[in-house]
Amino acid sequence: MIEREITVPFSIFRYEELEPNIQKLVEKAKEQTKKSYSPYSKFCVGAAVLLDNGEIFTGSNQENVAYPSGLCAERVAMLYANSQFPENKPVAIAIAAKNDDGFVEKPIMPCGACRQVLLETEMRFDSKISVYLFGTEAVYSLKSIISLLPLAFTSF
Ligand code: THU
């Protein structure tokens, strides 16, 4: 038997420690939470994707009475960016979430389906995408989507 272990590297920043362009991306994600359509969960999520040409695409979670038909903010933003600029690499994504008490203190993590979609984008462009997860206490940062989905299903 062979045992293997996978470690997930990530950094924890204070908001003020982020580079100005990343602060801007985080602000865009926070701003997007206002456009969330989430009458069922009342949980508002915003995402902002930075492309290698400097364009920023944003999205928010869009729910539906038939629950699985809604979509998370991350997929709305990333698929929107990919559909508008299929030739441009996404280089970073920022995610912010708020409930009735305001922005979450500890960052939320993308769901499994979003991780799979984000990973496919990373692999499609063969270029790592940085992730910034906003919380009022701390911003978690990962350098690649693969850190969110080790041992992923990637091809058949
Ligand atoms: N949601 C997102 O938009 N992104 C995440 O990373 C986690 C969850 C949405 C889905 C649903 O509209 C609401 O948050 C509650 O789960």
Side-chain angles (χ1 to χ4, degrees), residues 16-113:
E16 307 79 57
E17 292 176 320
L18 298 171
E19 299 289 333
N21 67 326
I22 299 302
Q23 286 188 356
K24 180 180 164 194
L25 197 66
V26 168
E27 288 309 313
K28 294 261 184 195
K30 289 170 71 179
E31 187 68 21
Q32 267 301 303
T33 60
K34 294 180 191 158
K35 296 184 180 164
S36 162
Y37 175 65
S38 42
Y40 306 104
S41 71
K42 307 210 183 317
F43 191 62
C44 303
V45 185
V49 173
L50 173 65
L51 301 184
D52 64 355
N53 63 356
E55 291 275 347
I56 293 178
F57 280 85
T58 55
S60 57
N61 57 328
Q62 300 293 315
E63 297 184 349
N64 190 276
V65 66
Y67 279 19
S69 305
L71 209 57
C72 296
E74 294 91 324
R75 272 177 287 166
V76 171
M78 186 58 83
L79 298 177
Y80 179 29
N82 293 163
S83 62
Q84 296 305 305
F85 283 94
E87 307 299 333
N88 289 94
K89 296 174 184 177
V91 295
I93 181 169
I95 300 150
K98 70 177 181 223
N99 53 33
D100 290 342
D101 298 329
F103 286 105
V104 293
E105 291 175 3
K106 294 193 176 11
I108 60 144
M109 301 292 151
C111 77

